[in-house]
Amino acid sequence: MTSEVEPRPAAPGTLERVVGVALFFGILVFYLAQLPSFAVPGRWADMLTAFSGLDPVRPVIRPLWSGLMVGLAALPTPQLALAANLCSALIGAAACALLYGILRRIPFARTKGWRQRAAQERMPRLLAGVVAALYAAFLSPTLIASTRGDFAAFGVFLFLLACYPSFLYLQRPRVAHLHLTALFLGLALVEYPAMLLMLPLLALWWLVLVWTGGQRHWLHLLAAFLLAVALALALALLYAQAYAASAAAAWQGGVTTGSALRELARNHLLEMTRCVPKVGWLLIVCTSVVPFLAILFREHDEPRD
C-alpha cells in the first residue's frame, strides 16, 4: 500500500524572498555585462580621481561615498576604476531589489480590513514589485549610474533604505522598525542632499502609520527622527575632522574642522537647490507626478478572489 504525501506549501514570504534574491542577482549580472573596466572619460573619471584622493583638491561633499572611494583606493587593487564600477553595480542592483521589497508591501485595499485580503493581494503585489524593479533597472539613468562609478546610485539606495522600515511597520508595527529608520535616515541625510526635501513627506507618512497602526508609538517616532538628525550631524562632524587632517587639506592650507564643516553644509545646500532640473521639469511632472496622483486618488480594483 502506497500513500501519497502532499507537498508542503511554501511558508508565507518564502516566494517573495526567492523572487527578491533572483531579481538582485539577475539585475547584477545584467549590470556586470555592461560594466566598463576603465574610468569613463568625462564626469565619471573626474569623480573617481576627486573622491578617491588621487586629485589633491577633493570636494567636500558626499561623506560616505568619499570614504568608500578612499577605502577602495587604499586596497591593493590593480584597477581602481573597475572596483568603483563594480561597487556601483552592486549598489544599483540592491536599490532595485529594495524597490521591489517596498512595492510588494503596498496594499491595494484602502479599508481597515486590508490585512484580511493579503492572501488575495499576494500575487498582484509581487507582480507590481517585479515590474517596478525591472523597469527601474533598465532605465537609461539607472543603467549609467550603476555601471560608471557614480554616487547617484548610492544616493537612491540610501533613500529607499530610509523608506523601507516604514513599509515593514505597515505590515507589522514594531518599535524596532523605528530604530532602523533612525539609522538609515541619518545615513541618508548626511549623504543625499535631496533627502532633506523628502524629510517632511517621510515624517508625514510616519505620522499616518503610527496613527492608523493602533500602537501609538509617538515618543518612539519623535526619538527616531531626533536620533536620525543627531547621527547625520555626528557623521558630518567626523567627516569634517577627517578631511581637515587629510593630505588634501594640507595641500590647500588653512583648512580646519570648522571650515570643512561649513563647506560641506554649503555644498549640501547647493546640490539640494539643483535637485529640480531647470530644463525638463514639466516633462517629469507630467510623466511621473500626475500619473501617481491619478492612481492615488482613484478607487482601486481590489482583488477579491
Side-chain angles (χ1 to χ4, degrees):
M1 180 177 179
T2 60
S3 60
E4 296 182 357
V5 179
E6 296 184 358
R8 296 178 61 185
T14 301
L15 175 63
E16 286 82 353
R17 287 191 290 269
V18 170
V19 172
V21 172
L23 273 174
F24 169 77
F25 283 105
I27 294 171
L28 179 60
V29 169
F30 172 70
Y31 285 161
L32 293 178
Q34 311 290 324
L35 200 71
S37 60
F38 55 88
V40 179
R43 174 175 181 263
W44 298 278
D46 294 340
M47 286 170 49
L48 180 62
T49 57
F51 283 102
S52 63
L54 299 178
D55 189 341
V57 184
R58 194 167 76 235
V60 189
I61 198 169
R62 301 280 180 170
L64 301 182
W65 182 259
S66 180
L68 181 59
M69 290 298 103
V70 170
L72 284 179
L75 295 177
T77 173
Q79 297 186 18
L80 177 59
L82 179 60
N85 294 341
L86 179 60
C87 184
S88 286
L90 289 168
I91 292 172
C96 294
L98 269 177
L99 183 62
Y100 157 78
I102 290 174
L103 264 293
R104 76 173 181 84
R105 286 179 168 83
I106 299 178
F108 287 92
R110 296 184 180 180
T111 60
K112 293 184 177 180
W114 66 266
R115 297 181 189 277
Q116 285 70 35
R117 300 184 182 180
Q120 290 80 12
E121 292 187 0
R122 182 185 182 189
M123 295 310 296
R125 288 191 207 171
L126 187 145
L127 182 60
V130 170
V131 171
L134 292 178
Y135 179 77
F138 286 95
L139 280 177
S140 179
T142 311
L143 177 60
I144 292 174
S146 300
T147 55
R148 300 190 180 182
D150 200 320
F151 55 68
F154 188 49
V156 173
F157 170 75
L158 288 177
F159 169 73
L160 294 173
L161 194 63
C163 297
Y164 186 72
S166 66
F167 293 92
L168 296 177
Y169 189 92
L170 175 65
Q171 301 291 323
R172 185 177 298 179
R174 289 183 175 178
V175 176
H177 299 147
L178 289 165
H179 298 162
L180 288 176
T181 295
L183 173 61
F184 298 150
L185 182 58
L187 297 176
L189 285 173
V190 75
E191 178 72 12
Y192 192 41
M195 195 65 214
L196 288 172
L197 298 176
M198 301 300 297
L199 186 60
L201 294 178
L202 183 60
L204 180 61
W205 168 238
W206 264 110
L207 287 173
V208 172
L209 289 177
V210 173
W211 177 261
T212 58
Q215 300 298 322
R216 299 298 187 265
H217 293 144
W218 299 112
L219 292 179
H220 294 285
L221 178 61
L222 178 61
F225 274 80
L226 290 178
L227 285 174
V229 174
L231 176 60
L233 293 176
L235 290 174
L237 181 59
L238 288 175
Y239 172 73
Q241 290 177 340
Y243 187 89
S246 65
W251 186 86
Q252 297 176 54
V255 178
T256 63
T257 300
S259 63
L261 191 60
R262 288 191 298 271
E263 182 68 11
L264 175 63
R266 189 184 72 85
N267 290 335
H268 213 69
L269 293 175
L270 184 62
E271 187 175 348
M272 185 179 63
T273 58
R274 295 177 178 176
C275 291
V276 180
K278 295 181 180 179
V279 179
W281 64 269
L282 184 59
L283 180 62
I284 295 175
V285 170
C286 293
T287 58
S288 58
V289 178
V290 172
F292 170 75
L293 294 177
I295 294 174
L296 182 65
F297 292 106
R298 69 181 289 272
E299 290 297 328
H300 288 250
D301 296 327
E302 301 174 3
R304 299 179 182 275
D305 54 4

